[in-house]
Amino acid sequence: MPLTAADQQRVDEAEADAEAAGSSKLLVRSPPDTQKLGSITVMGLIINRTIGSGIYVTPAIVLRATNSVGVSLLLWTLGAIFGICGLLVWLELGLSIPKFQPPEEGNHSIDGDGTYENVPRSGGEKNYLEYIYKDPRFQTTCMYGVIFVVLGNLTGNAIAMGQYIMQAAGVPDNEPAVRGIAVAALTGACLIHGLWRNGGIVLNNVLALIKILTLMAVIIIGFAAAGGASFGSEPVGRAVAKTNFATHSSFAGPSHDAGSYARSIVYVVYSYSGFKQPFYVLSEVSHPKKRFAKATIATMILVAVLFILANVAYLCAVPKDRILSTDLDMANIFFQDVFGNEIAPRVMSGIIALSIFGNIVVMTFTASRVKQEIAKEGILPFSLFFARSTTTPYAWLKERLWPSDGRLLEESPATALLMHWFFAVILVAATSSTSTEIAYLGLVLLYAYTLVIMVGFFVASGVLYLRATKRKEWTDNLGFKPWGGPTAAIIYSCTCAFMIVGVFITPGATSPFSYATTGVRHYIIPAVGLGTLLIGYSYYLVFAKLIPRWRKKVLIVEREPIIVRQGGRQDGEWVQILEVVEFWWAARQTKEA
């Protein structure tokens, strides 16, 4: 990255200070301009996380829960609105905080005396929650950090990937093999990102393209079937579409089971929750203030359109009664009915497994950065160890073979990836006493309840709090001003609040979420989700209250970001080029002192 003379001097001084003999400071570099994430990769992160098993599995579950074609499509449309509202809330915060005072050149601030600029930082909602709920110190970091370190992975999706691979192989009931594949997928994703950062990014982009093309193929096949095309079975699409979408029957006989509706909304919302992924790596994005908002909004609109069209396409080829009479997922029913053989569903199972692996790849890349940011706060055992970045083996080997004349080599948070892998495998082992089906549903619901719904509620309601208390001080200095002002935050927070409470409503006896169907009491997973808040708070009490009293010392954390103009231009965006992290335990001062 080309720098001005003043910026280069500050970088050199920070590096010399951190690398001096006896220094306990940790230097964490951001990727140079040549390694920054472009708009295509940002879009790929959302696509890869959003298009997974959900759009192939969840539509059948929602239809069984609502018993209405019209209502199920309405829920998917409302889910799209919810996802876009969530994105607008995250954009308002991500492009507005944290703020730093630009460095001085001579005796004058580059942007004028006393001005502050937003400098995008990785970590996503961790940063937003810490900014909104500042006091008491360490409380928010501990409560969020514990939840994300343990649950911030896609173990449930990895188990689903194992199920689909075994279905594709024709041996669906081999549960040990399913768990073995889950561990292998989690391990493989961590190794890819740890060994070769750019290779993981390329894989993300390729898988995102494959997912878009696959979903478009499903949509085209469904609409072609509705037009009378035959793909090997009898062409019944016209009659099916006419029956499913008839004005007198599409909304007929809807379920009145509030518990089923609440759970259906949770699963739909989970399918749209991939918008958060780029915010986890925001300091690695190129020109975030110029391009980021456009890329993310365009991607979410694209995904929303594809999801709604895919639901319509399924119902163009599969009768409603057929879906209600089986426990198969939507994709399997669709391909059985359209192609009229057992080979097509097995091929589709393999494609879904590949799609789920894309989920795991992107979440491993982004979540490891969040865990690195959590470690930088000093709240974890061996925090400096988990906060560091190291040169990837691929970059090291390439430098030995073809020296790059001093260019910065790519790095990855290898130790944070290790922590990510450890807890993901622990969750696979922890659910081994249950069936893989229950393990998948339980882990997905737990992730959705804690990291999508509960976190979403606190973030969105926090935005409303900022708008109410800081008023023009907040709204006049936003890096991104969402359409409709606080409307997105109101919709998002109210929907999250409904889901937090709604999942405690008992589903009906015939619901796909009932105890008779799942073997799990409806209140257990949300109760565990709420319990994670208590666990996080208990961790805070031990870390911030009990240990300091026992040691008679307090933890001092210093994070010094070195910010520069991107590209070395005077009109370039302010970005973080590196960060100096240091923490130590200092003697507690008495009141008299």
Side-chain angles (χ1 to χ4, degrees), residues 54 246 514:
S514 67

Side-chain angles (χ1 to χ4, degrees), residues 45 115 133 153 155 158 184 199 220 224 273 275 312 373 383 386 432 438 479 529 542:
L45 292 174
T115 60
Y133 309 102
N153 54 66
T155 304
I220 291 169
S273 64
F275 69 85
V312 173
E373 292 295 316
S383 284
F386 292 113
S432 60
I438 292 176
V542 172

Side-chain angles (χ1 to χ4, degrees), residues 82 265 269 453 490-500:
F82 176 86
I265 294 171
V269 163
I453 300 170
I490 292 171
I491 293 173
Y492 201 83
S493 59
C494 290
T495 307
C496 288
F498 165 74
M499 289 187 287
I500 288 173

Side-chain angles (χ1 to χ4, degrees), residues 432-464:
S432 60
S433 60
T434 65
S435 70
T436 54
E437 185 65 33
I438 292 176
Y440 164 70
L441 292 174
L443 288 170
V444 166
L445 182 58
L446 183 59
Y447 179 98
Y449 192 82
T450 53
L451 292 172
V452 177
I453 300 170
M454 289 198 314
V455 168
F457 171 76
F458 285 115
V459 171
S461 58
V463 168
L464 297 176

Side-chain angles (χ1 to χ4, degrees), residues 209-242:
L209 178 61
I210 292 173
K211 290 184 179 191
I212 289 289
L213 294 176
T214 302
L215 198 54
M216 289 178 66
V218 169
I219 293 168
I220 291 169
I221 291 170
F223 280 94
S230 173
F231 296 91
S233 64
E234 250 184 84
V236 295
R238 284 182 179 173
V240 169
K242 186 175 181 180

Side-chain angles (χ1 to χ4, degrees), residues 162-173:
Q163 291 175 318
Y164 279 104
I165 287 178
M166 297 311 293
Q167 286 178 20
V171 282
D173 297 324

